[in-house]
Amino acid sequence: MSRKLPAAVRHITKISDLSPVEMRGILQTAKHMKINPQQYAAALQQKTLLMLFEKPSLRTRVSFETGMTQLGGHAIFYSIADSPLGKKETMSDTAKVLERFVDVVMARVNKRQDIRELAALSHIPIINGLDDFAHPCQILADFLTVGEKKGFDNIDKLRITYTGDIRNNVTYDIMRAGVMLGATVSIAGPKGAEYEVEQEVLDECAALAKAYGGALEVHNDASKAAKNSDVIYTDSWMSYHIPKELMEQRVAHLKPFQVNAELMRHAKPSAIFMNCLPAMRGMEQTAEVIDGPQSVVFDQAENRLHAQKALLVWLTEKCAL
C-alpha cells in the first residue's frame, strides 16, 4: 500500500467521543477561524473529505463542502440512499477502499449501527454527520453559538432547556455536551415509549454529569423545564424517518411543548431561542419566537461551517494525516 495511514485514529460518532477539554479547544479554534479565516486557507491543502449521504441535508452538505474549500482541501459528495453501506459489499471492504483514497469520511445515515461499524473498521477518521443516536457536528455549532452569546467561560453556569421531541439525536447530544461542559440541561417532552429518552442515553448522561459536574433534569411540563433558562431549544416534530401518517397524532402529543411567547416568558428575559433547522412555524415553535429578537437560529446555522472546519483541522492534526 502506497499511502501511510495514521498510527492512531480518532472518530467522532457522538459528542462524548470528545473530552470537555477537547470540545472547548475545538470551540476556541472555531471562534478564531471565524474571525481569521485567511490564516487557515491552506490548513487542509491536498486533503480530501468524502461525504456519504443516506439522509438528505442542505446545511450539512453545503457547510462541509464550503469548509473544505476554505481550508484548501476538497470534498466529494456521494449518495448512499439507494445503495446503503454494507449491501453491495461488506463494510470492511468499503472501509479498506476509502482509506486508500481519502483522508476523512463524514457519513449522514439512518442507523447508529452503520456509523459504529464503519468507525470500528476504518483507519481514517469517521465523522458522524447524523444518525438516530447523535448529531455531534450540530452540537459543536450550537455550543459555539451559546459561547458567542453567553460567554464561553459562562457555559457551566447556564441552564439549557430542550422541549418537544426529546427522543431525538439532537436532544441526546445536547444532553451529553451540556453536562460535560458543566451546564444544567433541562428537557421536557410527552410521556410514552415513542417520546421518551432511551435509557442508555440517560445512564450515559448521569455518568457524564457525575464525572464533569453538570446536571440533567427530565420533565413532562415545558414551563417547569424552561423556568429561569438561559437557552430554549427545540427541533422538528417530524424528522425524516417519521411516517407522515403519524403527524396528527404527534402534533396532538407535542403541542403542549411548543415554544411560544408564553413559554419564553418562563425563561430569563435574556434567554436565546435555538432550532437546528429546518423549522416549521406553527409546529415546534411559533413564528413570533423564531423570527423574534431572541432567536439566534441563523447564527447557529452559520456556525455549522466554522465548527466543522475546526473539527476537521483538529482531527487531521490529532491523527497526523
Side-chain angles (χ1 to χ4, degrees), residues 23 62 112 154 171 185 200 205 250 260 307:
M23 210 186 312
V62 174
R112 66 194 74 176
N154 293 325
T171 317
V185 179
E200 177 185 351
C205 289
R250 287 179 63 82
N260 49 38

Side-chain angles (χ1 to χ4, degrees), residues 218-234:
V218 181
H219 298 273
N220 297 120
D221 183 317
S223 60
K224 288 182 180 178
K227 186 174 177 59
N228 293 324
S229 288
D230 301 279
V231 178
I232 302 291
Y233 197 126
T234 193

Side-chain angles (χ1 to χ4, degrees), residues 121-139:
L121 294 166
S122 296
H123 295 94
I124 56 173
I126 304 298
I127 299 172
N128 182 359
L130 174 146
D131 63 14
D132 63 347
F133 194 61
H135 200 350
C137 297
Q138 179 63 56
I139 269 55

Side-chain angles (χ1 to χ4, degrees), residues 137-209:
C137 297
Q138 179 63 56
I139 269 55
L140 284 173
D142 292 343
F143 278 90
L144 177 59
T145 309
V146 170
E148 288 175 339
K149 305 301 181 183
K150 298 296 181 181
F152 288 94
D153 293 335
N154 293 325
I155 290 176
D156 62 349
K157 303 176 186 68
L158 299 179
R159 181 177 177 85
I160 299 170
T161 294
Y162 183 105
T163 179
D165 180 9
I166 59 174
R167 194 179 180 88
N168 168 299
N169 47 18
V170 171
T171 317
Y172 293 176
D173 260 356
I174 288 172
M175 291 163 60
R176 295 177 181 117
V179 298
M180 287 173 70
L181 294 174
T184 296
V185 179
S186 175
I187 63 171
K191 294 180 179 179
E194 68 270 39
Y195 297 110
E196 294 174 355
V197 176
E198 296 170 56
Q199 190 61 46
E200 177 185 351
V201 179
L202 292 172
D203 292 343
E204 179 187 7
C205 289
L208 292 170

